[in-house]
Amino acid sequence: MSTEKNTLRRTLDRLFVPLTVGPTLLWIAAIIVYPTLKLLWSSVFWQNPISGEKQFVGIRNFTELLFATGSQTGVFGLAPDFVSITWHTVVYVGLSVSISFFLGLGIALLLDRDLLGRGWLRTAVIVPWVLPYVMSGLMWRWMFQSQYGAINGLLTQSGLLSQKIAFFSDGTLSMMALIVADIWVFTPFIIIILLAGLQNVPEQLYDAAEVDGAGRFSRFVNVTYPFLKPSILVALTIRIIFDIRALDLVWVMTQGGPGKSTEVWASWLYRTAQVFNRPGEGAALGVVLLAVTFLIVAALYRIFGESPY
C-alpha cells in the first residue's frame, strides 16, 4: 500500500510543474508569442487592398516606410514622414511622461504624509485614470474647443486673453492640448505606483537619518530613492508603453492633425493599416515600434533594475 502511495506521490510531483506552469505558458503564447510572430509574418507581405491577394516582398515594407525614395530627402536618408512622426512621438511621450512622473512623485510624497482626509484624497486622485480614455479625450477636446470651450472661456473672462484661441488649428497648440490631456489621465497611475513603493521604506531608516542630521533632500536621495527604484521602474515602463501605443486620446482629440502635426507612431500605424488598407506596411511599422519599445524597456531595467541595497 505504501509503495502505491509513494508511486502516486512521485507522479503528482512530476506533474505539478506542468499542471501549474503549463496553462500560464499557453496563455502567454496565446497573447504574446503568437501575435508577435503573426506581426513579423505580416510585415514581409504586401496585400492587394481590393482582392486581398498577398505577395511576399521581404523587407520592402520596411524600406518604403523608413527610407527616402526618389526625390524625397530626409535626415540620414530616412523618409521625411518617418522623421517628423518620430519627432512628434518623442515630444509627446517625453514631455507627457516626464511631467506626469515628477508631478506624480510630488503628489505621492505629499499623500504619504499624515494629512487630514488623506484617504479621501487618495481615492479622488484615481478618478481621471479610471475613466475611459475615449471619454477623457472627448472631454478635453471640448475644453480646448475654440468657441465654447471651458479653457478659452476661463482665459477670456479672467482678462488673460483678448480673443479666443483656436487650439486645434495650430500644430504646436494641438500637441500641447494632447500632452495636457495625457498628463491628466495618467498622472494618477504614477501616484498609485509610487505611493505603494513609499509604503515599503522602513521608518527606522528615516529616524536614523534624522538623528544623523540629514535634511529632507538627503533623506530622499539616500533613503527613499533606493527603495523607490523598483516602483519607478514599473511606473515608467508601463507609462512609456502606454504612451508609445497611445491611439485613443490622439485619435479622439486631433486624429493626427492639423495636417500631420500631431501624428504619432500609434496613429500612423492605425492610419496606414486600417484607413489606407495597407496591412503589410502597418505590420512593418508595428515591428519597428515593438523593437523601439523593447530597447527603451531594456534601458529602464538597466537604470532602475538594481536592488536597493
Side-chain angles (χ1 to χ4, degrees), residues 72-202:
Q72 292 179 328
T73 57
V75 181
F76 302 116
L78 297 173
D81 276 352
F82 178 76
V83 173
S84 62
I85 293 173
T86 298
W87 173 246
H88 298 161
T89 306
V90 170
V91 171
Y92 176 65
V93 175
L95 290 179
S96 298
V97 173
S98 300
I99 296 173
S100 64
F101 173 75
F102 288 108
L103 182 61
L105 177 60
I107 296 175
L109 290 172
L110 182 64
L111 293 179
D112 190 50
R113 297 183 179 182
D114 190 15
L115 299 174
L116 182 64
R118 182 176 61 176
W120 289 100
L121 291 173
R122 288 181 175 182
T123 304
V125 298
I126 302 175
V127 174
W129 186 51
V130 299
L131 291 175
Y133 300 152
V134 172
M135 183 183 296
S136 299
L138 290 172
M139 181 188 70
W140 280 100
R141 180 173 177 82
W142 174 82
M143 292 182 67
F144 280 105
Q145 204 269 343
S146 58
Q147 295 299 320
Y148 310 107
I151 293 177
N152 264 315
L154 180 63
L155 293 175
T156 52
Q157 291 178 15
S158 63
L160 295 176
L161 289 179
S162 58
Q163 58 182 4
K164 296 179 179 179
I165 300 175
F167 286 98
F168 296 115
S169 297
D170 180 85
T172 302
L173 295 178
S174 296
M175 181 63 75
M176 181 206 71
L178 279 176
I179 292 172
V180 169
D182 189 88
I183 291 170
W184 185 83
V185 170
F186 287 107
T187 298
F189 171 77
I190 299 288
I191 296 172
I192 293 169
I193 299 299
L194 296 185
L195 191 57
L198 289 171
Q199 311 304 309
N200 296 325
V201 184

Side-chain angles (χ1 to χ4, degrees), residues 6 9 16 25 31 55 63 88 104 136 152 162 176 244 286 308:
N6 291 334
R9 184 178 293 110
F16 178 77
L25 293 177
I31 66 173
Q55 178 185 354
T63 57
H88 298 161
S136 299
N152 264 315
S162 58
M176 181 206 71
I244 287 179

